[in-house]
Amino acid sequence: GQTLYVADLAADALLALETSTGAVRARRALERGDRPGALRLSPDGKTLYAALWGRDRVLALAPATLETRRALPAADHPNDLLA
């Protein structure tokens, strides 16, 4: 099935949901105040990028597990990502 990635700003969390059932495939709790916003999947589907509005950085994540591969510095309050 397909996956829908969700940024939960209020809970400082990221989720990967199965679109056909709504089941949670993965959930990632972030640090308090990270304030995740924009999400973007790389064209090859191998990396999920998450803009952290509260930390001035972008995380590069493994889509299946939502584990951080690396953190990239960004300007103040990143709120969108373009591929």
Side-chain angles (χ1 to χ4, degrees):
Q2 294 186 333
T3 304
L4 174 67
Y5 297 99
V6 178
D8 186 338
L9 182 93
D12 289 314
L14 302 171
L15 295 99
L17 305 177
E18 168 62 47
T19 58
S20 63
T21 65
V24 177
R25 287 185 172 179
R27 185 181 192 287
R28 167 78 187 278
L30 299 170
E31 293 179 34
R32 186 172 183 204
D34 276 352
R35 312 280 292 170
L39 300 175
R40 192 77 67 219
L41 193 61
S42 65
D44 64 7
K46 294 182 179 180
T47 304
L48 178 67
Y49 295 95
L52 301 184
W53 188 86
R55 295 278 182 232
D56 304 337
R57 67 181 155 204
V58 174
L59 297 181
L61 307 164
T65 63
L66 302 179
E67 290 302 313
T68 301
R69 291 183 176 153
R70 65 183 181 153
L72 307 164
D76 290 346
H77 309 299
N79 62 4
D80 200 3
L81 299 169
L82 300 174

